[in-house]
Amino acid sequence: MKIGLFFGSFNPVHHGHLIIANYMATQTDLDRVWLVVSPQNPLKPKKTLARDHDRLHLVRLGIDDNPLLKASDVEFQLSKPSYTVDTLAFLTEKHPEHQFVLIMGGDNLASLHLWKNYEQILAGFDIYVYKRPNYELGELAQHPRVRVFEPPPLDISATYIRECVQAGKSVRYLVPDAVWEYLESGSLYR
Ligand code: ATP
């Protein structure tokens, strides 16, 4: 199968992420999309980053029973910090039956040239880029491995959601109901 890999901290997952994932799974030639939860980067401040398994659990709740989407914890077992080039190599070896494609926002494409071994990524993998309002794609948009898509934009961020939860404000409708209920009932981000 042709699988799109959508990497993120998903702290927490929200409808912006899920709209992109579902769009890519249904309106491109991808068969499935995996939401790859990136682990806590030991070099980054942990203060507002929920534990790996909480974020994974929320992604699972958010996906619900959609058979086209899957939450992946593959990076939890790889050495940290996780570099996309290494995760791609690992997955390719582990799943020779699949073809992997990288999904990223236009904001990320513009800084892709700063990633570890980005040329190796481009040599081996297609990149499906979704345009985001107010972000330029940069020169790599012309690269033969890059395809650009325009899903409907939804301007919400996990940062905003964490701030709401912290302030005791409702995040209902910004995240799937099951994620909202989990956030309401627990102590995450408070
Ligand atoms: P934070 O606010 O904590 O930085 P985030 O909402 O941007 O988080 P990430 O988990 O870092 O979430 O996002 C994973 C990927 O999804 C990133 O490449 C990011 O650019 C993209 N993304 C996040 N929010 C949206 C959105 N509303 N629409 C489209 N893409 C998004």
Side-chain angles (χ1 to χ4, degrees):
M1 281 199 286
K2 198 164 177 180
I3 312 251
L5 299 172
F6 186 23
F7 291 84
S9 49
F10 303 113
N11 186 39
V13 69
H14 54 70
H15 278 136
H17 300 131
L18 291 164
I19 287 170
I20 303 293
N22 189 57
Y23 174 96
M24 289 293 180
T26 57
Q27 301 202 36
T28 71
D29 63 345
L30 295 177
D31 299 303
R32 297 279 190 279
V33 170
W34 293 359
L35 289 87
V36 184
V37 180
S38 293
Q40 283 179 356
N41 181 336
L43 306 174
K44 279 191 177 174
K46 290 185 180 171
K47 224 173 80 190
T48 56
L49 186 64
R51 287 180 306 144
D52 299 351
H53 285 91
D54 282 324
R55 291 180 288 121
L56 180 70
H57 179 64
L58 290 177
V59 172
R60 291 203 171 117
L61 287 179
I63 289 173
D64 196 14
D65 62 354
N66 187 340
L68 302 180
L69 307 184
K70 190 183 107 162
S72 168
D73 61 359
V74 60
E75 288 198 336
F76 294 7
Q77 46 183 305
L78 301 178
S79 58
K80 299 175 181 96
S82 26
Y83 292 107
T84 303
V85 68
D86 301 328
T87 309
L88 289 169
F90 177 84
L91 283 173
T92 303
E93 194 175 321
K94 190 169 173 210
H95 297 284
E97 74 280 18
H98 294 324
Q99 180 189 350
F100 291 103
V101 168
L102 203 51
I103 294 172
M104 70 173 69
D107 49 326
N108 286 327
L109 185 71
S111 58
L112 181 66
H113 61 285
L114 303 173
W115 292 23
K116 182 186 167 194
N117 298 358
Y118 81 96
E119 284 139 325
Q120 195 183 326
I121 297 177
L122 275 166
F125 300 89
D126 287 341
I127 303 185
Y128 288 11
V129 173
Y130 56 90
K131 274 192 168 178
R132 296 188 68 182
N134 308 321
Y135 288 106
E136 295 298 326
L137 296 175
E139 280 174 23
L140 283 176
Q142 313 304 326
H143 193 283
R145 284 286 208 174
V146 173
R147 284 177 62 183
V148 178
F149 298 89
E150 290 195 56
L154 179 63
D155 188 15
I156 55 175
S157 69
T159 303
Y160 175 70
I161 289 162
R162 290 194 304 275
E163 286 169 359
C164 286
V165 174
Q166 164 95 55
K169 293 177 181 154
S170 172
V171 295
R172 192 169 192 184
Y173 309 124
L174 295 173
V175 296
D177 281 348
V179 173
W180 167 67
E181 281 161 16
Y182 187 92
L183 293 175
E184 287 276 301
S185 64
S187 56
L188 271 187
Y189 308 123
R190 283 173 207 277

